[in-house]
Amino acid sequence: MRQRIESERWKQGEKISTIEELETEFGVARVTIRQAIEILREEGLLDARQGRGTFVSGRPKDKHWFNLANDLESVVSSIKNNVIRIVHIEENAEAPSLEENEGRPASGYILLRSVQFSDGEPFVVVNLHLARDIFVRDRKRFTRQPALPRILEMRDIALAHAFQTVTIGVADPETSELLEIGLGEPTADCRLVLVDDAGVALYVAKYNYHRNSFALRRDLLPRPKAAKAARARKKSKSR
């Protein structure tokens, strides 16, 4: 129902379907429809009027402020000032699953599960497997600030790879609770693996972003210089 308001399928000021119609359409109990309407009413998106029906009274705020970076320096810049709250630490965690090209496991890992905030609102849940020998070097900072900037400050660590994968997922019970969203709502999931020059996966993190805070923006047209060079090559070939 929220998506219908976002997409303006239900326009502001417009009367939405009746509870009976929504009950039939979504195939859920009437009490569930009433609960959904009440949640959207509290968010300022719907207005239930006695004897008249339910109307769209607003649109969700555009929170798509986080743009996925495509280089490591930009990733670090985007997260270095994040406010984090650790919700779980596992001192002797099992090694994370690694793809064939993602290096070999470290001798041991610490699992850090945290939620990060922007303007007081949670926007991403992070599950990080951090090599134990890295963690013990600065335990205090790794439990209070994002780990990635600190790792890059360690002069004796040379990274060979930083693999990033982005997928679309859904909120599991823990993620939905930490991000304060509905169970099964869409999330943007980013996996980041740092491999050092010895082939060891030091940092394996999965970021589950609230869908309303995440956007992937790219210019799909080539830059002017690149386009000009491409035209020149094409012209040269035609000769």
Side-chain angles (χ1 to χ4, degrees), residues 2 43 63 65 82-85 87 113-118 120-127 169-190 206-214:
R2 187 184 291 111
E43 293 180 7
K63 298 180 180 179
W65 56 270
N82 286 356
V83 176
I84 75 169
R85 174 170 62 87
V87 295
R113 183 173 295 120
S114 66
V115 57
Q116 301 187 7
F117 296 80
S118 173
E121 294 187 15
F123 73 96
V124 62
V125 173
V126 183
N127 288 282
V170 295
D172 60 23
E174 183 183 37
T175 300
S176 66
E177 180 179 354
L178 293 174
L179 290 182
E180 300 175 8
I181 61 176
L183 179 64
E185 280 199 32
T187 58
D189 301 340
C190 178
K206 183 177 181 181
Y207 298 80
N208 302 114
Y209 289 96
H210 190 311
R211 67 183 180 89
N212 284 344
S213 69
F214 182 95

Coordinates of all heavy atoms in Angstrom, one line a residue, residues 2 43 63 65 82-85 87 113-118 120-127 169-190 206-214:
R2 N 2.0 1.2 0.7 CA 2.9 2.3 0.8 C 3.5 2.5 -0.6 O 3.7 3.6 -1.1 CB 4.0 2.1 1.8 CG 4.9 3.3 2.0 CD 6.1 3.0 2.9 NE 5.6 2.9 4.3 CZ 5.6 1.8 5.0 NH1 6.1 0.7 4.4 NH2 5.2 1.7 6.2
E43 N 1.9 7.5 9.9 CA 3.0 8.0 9.1 C 2.6 9.3 8.3 O 3.4 9.9 7.6 CB 3.5 7.0 8.1 CG 4.2 5.8 8.8 CD 4.7 4.8 7.8 OE1 4.7 5.0 6.5 OE2 5.2 3.7 8.2
K63 N 14.1 9.7 0.9 CA 15.2 9.5 1.8 C 16.4 8.9 1.0 O 17.4 8.4 1.6 CB 14.9 8.6 2.9 CG 13.8 9.1 3.8 CD 13.5 8.2 5.0 CE 12.4 8.7 5.9 NZ 12.1 7.8 7.0
W65 N 19.3 9.2 0.0 CA 20.5 10.1 0.1 C 21.8 9.4 -0.1 O 22.8 10.0 -0.3 CB 20.4 10.8 1.4 CG 20.4 9.8 2.6 CD1 19.3 9.3 3.2 CD2 21.6 9.2 3.2 NE1 19.7 8.5 4.2 CE2 21.1 8.4 4.2 CE3 22.9 9.4 3.0 CZ2 21.9 7.7 5.0 CZ3 23.8 8.6 3.9 CH2 23.2 7.8 4.9
N82 N 29.8 7.8 10.1 CA 28.5 7.1 10.6 C 28.5 6.9 12.1 O 29.5 6.5 12.7 CB 28.3 5.8 9.8 CG 27.9 6.0 8.4 OD1 27.7 7.1 7.9 ND2 27.8 4.9 7.7
V83 N 27.3 7.0 12.7 CA 27.1 6.6 14.1 C 26.7 5.2 14.1 O 25.7 4.8 13.5 CB 26.1 7.5 14.7 CG1 25.8 7.1 16.1 CG2 26.5 9.0 14.7
I84 N 27.4 4.4 14.9 CA 27.1 2.9 14.9 C 26.8 2.5 16.3 O 27.2 3.1 17.3 CB 28.3 2.1 14.4 CG1 29.4 2.0 15.4 CG2 28.8 2.6 13.0 CD1 30.4 0.9 15.0
R85 N 25.9 1.5 16.4 CA 25.6 0.8 17.7 C 25.8 -0.7 17.5 O 25.2 -1.3 16.7 CB 24.2 1.1 18.1 CG 23.7 0.4 19.3 CD 22.4 0.9 19.9 NE 21.3 0.7 18.9 CZ 20.6 -0.4 18.8 NH1 20.8 -1.5 19.6 NH2 19.6 -0.5 17.9
V87 N 25.3 -4.4 18.2 CA 24.2 -5.1 18.8 C 24.7 -6.6 19.2 O 24.0 -7.3 19.9 CB 23.0 -5.2 17.9 CG1 22.4 -3.8 17.7 CG2 23.3 -5.8 16.5
R113 N 28.1 -7.3 14.6 CA 26.8 -7.0 14.0 C 26.5 -5.6 14.6 O 26.4 -5.4 15.8 CB 25.8 -8.0 14.4 CG 24.4 -7.7 13.7 CD 23.4 -8.9 13.9 NE 23.9 -10.0 13.2 CZ 24.2 -11.2 13.8 NH1 24.0 -11.3 15.1 NH2 24.6 -12.3 13.1
S114 N 26.2 -4.7 13.7 CA 25.9 -3.3 14.2 C 24.8 -2.7 13.3 O 24.4 -3.2 12.2 CB 27.1 -2.4 14.1 OG 27.5 -2.2 12.7
V115 N 24.2 -1.6 13.8 CA 23.2 -0.8 13.1 C 23.8 0.6 13.0 O 24.3 1.1 14.0 CB 21.8 -0.9 13.7 CG1 21.8 -0.4 15.2 CG2 20.8 -0.1 12.9
Q116 N 23.7 1.2 11.9 CA 24.2 2.6 11.7 C 23.1 3.5 11.5 O 22.1 3.2 10.9 CB 25.2 2.6 10.5 CG 26.4 1.6 10.8 CD 27.5 1.7 9.7 OE1 27.5 2.6 8.9 NE2 28.4 0.9 9.8
F117 N 23.3 4.8 11.9 CA 22.2 5.8 12.0 C 22.6 7.0 11.2 O 23.8 7.4 11.1 CB 21.9 6.2 13.4 CG 21.4 5.1 14.3 CD1 22.3 4.2 14.8 CD2 20.1 5.0 14.5 CE1 21.8 3.1 15.6 CE2 19.6 4.0 15.3 CZ 20.4 3.0 15.9
S118 N 21.6 7.7 10.6 CA 21.7 9.0 10.0 C 20.6 9.9 10.5 O 19.4 9.5 10.4 CB 21.6 8.9 8.5 OG 21.6 10.2 7.9
G120 N 19.6 10.3 13.4 CA 18.9 9.6 14.5 C 18.1 8.4 14.0 O 17.4 7.7 14.8
E121 N 18.0 8.1 12.7 CA 17.2 7.0 12.1 C 18.1 5.9 11.6 O 19.1 6.2 10.9 CB 16.3 7.5 11.0 CG 15.3 8.5 11.4 CD 14.3 8.8 10.3 OE1 14.3 8.1 9.3 OE2 13.6 9.8 10.4
P122 N 17.8 4.7 11.9 CA 18.6 3.5 11.4 C 18.4 3.4 9.9 O 17.3 3.5 9.4 CB 18.0 2.3 12.1 CG 16.6 2.7 12.4 CD 16.6 4.2 12.6
F123 N 19.6 3.2 9.2 CA 19.5 3.0 7.7 C 20.2 1.8 7.2 O 20.0 1.4 6.0 CB 20.0 4.3 7.0 CG 21.5 4.5 7.0 CD1 22.3 4.1 6.0 CD2 22.1 5.0 8.1 CE1 23.6 4.2 6.0 CE2 23.5 5.2 8.2 CZ 24.2 4.8 7.1
V124 N 21.1 1.2 8.0 CA 21.8 0.0 7.5 C 22.2 -0.9 8.7 O 22.6 -0.4 9.7 CB 23.0 0.4 6.7 CG1 24.1 1.2 7.5 CG2 23.7 -0.8 6.0
V125 N 22.0 -2.2 8.4 CA 22.5 -3.2 9.4 C 23.8 -3.8 8.8 O 23.7 -4.2 7.6 CB 21.4 -4.3 9.7 CG1 22.0 -5.4 10.5 CG2 20.2 -3.6 10.4
V126 N 24.8 -3.9 9.5 CA 26.1 -4.5 9.0 C 26.5 -5.7 9.8 O 26.5 -5.7 11.0 CB 27.2 -3.4 9.2 CG1 28.5 -4.0 8.6 CG2 26.8 -2.1 8.5
N127 N 26.7 -6.8 9.1 CA 27.3 -8.0 9.6 C 28.7 -8.1 9.1 O 28.9 -8.4 7.9 CB 26.5 -9.2 9.2 CG 25.1 -9.3 10.0 OD1 25.1 -9.6 11.1 ND2 24.1 -8.8 9.3
G169 N 17.4 -7.8 -1.6 CA 16.9 -8.8 -0.6 C 15.6 -8.3 0.1 O 15.0 -7.4 -0.3
V170 N 15.3 -9.1 1.1 CA 14.2 -8.7 2.0 C 14.6 -8.8 3.4 O 15.5 -9.5 3.8 CB 13.0 -9.7 1.7 CG1 12.4 -9.5 0.3 CG2 13.4 -11.1 2.0
A171 N 13.9 -8.0 4.2 CA 14.3 -7.9 5.7 C 13.9 -9.1 6.4 O 12.7 -9.5 6.4 CB 13.6 -6.7 6.3
D172 N 14.8 -9.8 7.1 CA 14.5 -10.9 8.0 C 14.1 -10.3 9.3 O 14.1 -9.1 9.5 CB 15.7 -11.8 8.1 CG 17.0 -11.1 8.7 OD1 16.8 -10.1 9.4 OD2 18.1 -11.6 8.5
P173 N 13.7 -11.2 10.3 CA 13.1 -10.7 11.5 C 14.1 -9.7 12.2 O 13.6 -8.6 12.7 CB 12.9 -11.9 12.3 CG 12.6 -13.0 11.3 CD 13.5 -12.7 10.2
E174 N 15.4 -10.0 12.3 CA 16.3 -9.2 13.0 C 16.5 -7.8 12.3 O 16.5 -6.8 12.9 CB 17.6 -9.8 13.2 CG 18.6 -9.0 14.0 CD 20.0 -9.6 14.2 OE1 20.4 -10.3 13.2 OE2 20.6 -9.4 15.2
T175 N 16.7 -7.9 11.0 CA 16.9 -6.7 10.2 C 15.7 -5.8 10.2 O 15.8 -4.6 10.4 CB 17.2 -7.1 8.7 OG1 18.4 -7.9 8.7 CG2 17.5 -5.8 7.9
S176 N 14.5 -6.4 10.2 CA 13.3 -5.6 10.2 C 13.2 -4.8 11.5 O 12.7 -3.7 11.6 CB 12.1 -6.4 9.9 OG 11.8 -7.4 11.0
E177 N 13.6 -5.5 12.6 CA 13.5 -4.9 13.9 C 14.5 -3.8 14.1 O 14.2 -2.7 14.5 CB 13.7 -5.9 15.0 CG 13.7 -5.4 16.4 CD 13.9 -6.4 17.5 OE1 14.0 -7.6 17.2 OE2 14.0 -6.1 18.7
L178 N 15.8 -4.0 13.6 CA 16.8 -3.0 13.7 C 16.6 -1.8 12.8 O 16.9 -0.7 13.2 CB 18.2 -3.6 13.5 CG 18.7 -4.7 14.5 CD1 20.0 -5.3 14.0 CD2 18.9 -4.1 15.8
L179 N 16.1 -2.0 11.6 CA 15.8 -0.9 10.7 C 14.4 -0.3 10.9 O 14.1 0.7 10.2 CB 16.0 -1.4 9.3 CG 17.4 -1.7 8.8 CD1 17.4 -2.1 7.3 CD2 18.3 -0.6 9.0
E180 N 13.6 -0.9 11.8 CA 12.3 -0.4 12.1 C 11.4 -0.4 10.8 O 10.7 0.6 10.5 CB 12.3 1.0 12.7 CG 13.1 1.0 14.0 CD 13.3 2.4 14.6 OE1 12.6 3.3 14.1 OE2 14.0 2.5 15.6
I181 N 11.5 -1.5 10.1 CA 10.7 -1.7 8.9 C 9.9 -3.0 9.0 O 10.1 -3.8 9.9 CB 11.5 -1.7 7.6 CG1 12.5 -2.8 7.6 CG2 12.3 -0.4 7.4 CD1 13.4 -3.0 6.3
G182 N 9.0 -3.2 8.0 CA 8.2 -4.4 8.0 C 9.0 -5.7 7.7 O 9.9 -5.6 6.9
L183 N 8.6 -6.8 8.2 CA 9.2 -8.1 7.9 C 9.0 -8.4 6.4 O 7.8 -8.3 5.9 CB 8.6 -9.2 8.8 CG 9.1 -10.6 8.5 CD1 10.6 -10.7 8.9 CD2 8.3 -11.6 9.3
G184 N 10.0 -8.7 5.7 CA 9.9 -9.0 4.3 C 10.0 -7.8 3.4 O 9.9 -8.0 2.1
E185 N 10.1 -6.6 3.9 CA 10.2 -5.4 3.0 C 11.6 -5.5 2.3 O 12.5 -6.0 2.7 CB 10.2 -4.1 3.9 CG 8.8 -3.7 4.2 CD 8.7 -2.2 4.6 OE1 9.5 -1.4 4.1 OE2 7.9 -1.9 5.5
P186 N 11.6 -4.9 1.1 CA 12.8 -4.9 0.3 C 14.0 -4.2 1.0 O 13.8 -3.2 1.6 CB 12.4 -4.2 -1.0 CG 10.9 -4.2 -1.1 CD 10.5 -4.2 0.4
T187 N 15.2 -4.8 0.8 CA 16.4 -4.1 1.2 C 17.4 -4.2 0.1 O 17.3 -5.0 -0.8 CB 17.0 -4.9 2.4 OG1 17.3 -6.2 2.1 CG2 16.1 -4.8 3.7
A188 N 18.4 -3.2 0.1 CA 19.5 -3.3 -0.8 C 20.7 -3.8 -0.1 O 21.1 -3.3 1.0 CB 19.8 -1.9 -1.3
D189 N 21.2 -5.0 -0.5 CA 22.2 -5.7 0.2 C 23.5 -5.6 -0.6 O 23.6 -5.9 -1.8 CB 21.9 -7.2 0.3 CG 20.5 -7.4 1.1 OD1 20.2 -6.4 1.8 OD2 19.9 -8.4 0.9
C190 N 24.5 -5.1 0.2 CA 25.9 -4.9 -0.4 C 26.9 -5.7 0.3 O 27.0 -5.7 1.6 CB 26.3 -3.4 -0.3 SG 27.9 -3.1 -1.0
K206 N 28.5 -7.7 5.1 CA 27.3 -7.6 4.4 C 26.5 -6.4 5.0 O 26.2 -6.4 6.2 CB 26.4 -8.9 4.5 CG 25.2 -8.8 3.7 CD 24.4 -10.1 3.7 CE 23.1 -10.0 2.8 NZ 22.3 -11.3 2.9
Y207 N 26.1 -5.5 4.1 CA 25.3 -4.3 4.5 C 23.9 -4.5 4.0 O 23.7 -4.7 2.8 CB 25.9 -3.0 3.8 CG 27.3 -2.7 4.2 CD1 28.4 -3.3 3.6 CD2 27.6 -1.7 5.2 CE1 29.7 -3.0 4.0 CE2 28.9 -1.3 5.5 CZ 29.9 -2.0 4.9 OH 31.2 -1.7 5.3
N208 N 23.0 -4.4 4.9 CA 21.5 -4.4 4.5 C 21.0 -3.0 4.7 O 20.7 -2.6 5.8 CB 20.8 -5.4 5.4 CG 21.3 -6.8 5.4 OD1 21.9 -7.3 6.3 ND2 21.2 -7.5 4.2
Y209 N 20.8 -2.4 3.6 CA 20.3 -1.0 3.6 C 18.8 -0.9 3.5 O 18.1 -1.7 2.8 CB 20.8 -0.2 2.4 CG 22.3 0.1 2.4 CD1 23.2 -0.8 1.8 CD2 22.8 1.2 3.1 CE1 24.6 -0.5 1.8 CE2 24.1 1.5 3.1 CZ 25.0 0.6 2.5 OH 26.4 0.9 2.5
H210 N 18.2 0.0 4.3 CA 16.8 0.3 4.2 C 16.6 0.8 2.8 O 17.3 1.7 2.3 CB 16.5 1.4 5.2 CG 15.0 1.8 5.4 ND1 14.2 2.0 4.3 CD2 14.3 1.9 6.5 CE1 13.0 2.2 4.8 NE2 13.0 2.2 6.1
R211 N 15.6 0.3 2.1 CA 15.4 0.7 0.7 C 15.2 2.2 0.5 O 15.5 2.7 -0.6 CB 14.2 -0.1 0.1 CG 12.9 0.3 0.7 CD 11.7 -0.6 0.2 NE 10.4 -0.2 0.7 CZ 9.7 0.7 0.2 NH1 10.0 1.3 -0.9 NH2 8.5 1.0 0.7
N212 N 14.6 2.8 1.5 CA 14.3 4.3 1.4 C 15.6 5.2 1.6 O 15.5 6.4 1.4 CB 13.2 4.7 2.3 CG 11.9 4.3 1.9 OD1 11.7 3.9 0.7 ND2 10.9 4.3 2.8
S213 N 16.7 4.5 1.9 CA 17.9 5.4 2.1 C 18.9 5.1 1.0 O 20.0 5.7 0.9 CB 18.6 5.0 3.4 OG 19.1 3.7 3.5
F214 N 18.6 4.2 0.1 CA 19.6 3.7 -0.8 C 19.2 4.0 -2.3 O 18.1 3.8 -2.7 CB 19.7 2.2 -0.7 CG 20.8 1.5 -1.5 CD1 22.0 1.3 -1.0 CD2 20.5 1.1 -2.8 CE1 23.0 0.6 -1.8 CE2 21.4 0.5 -3.6 CZ 22.7 0.3 -3.1

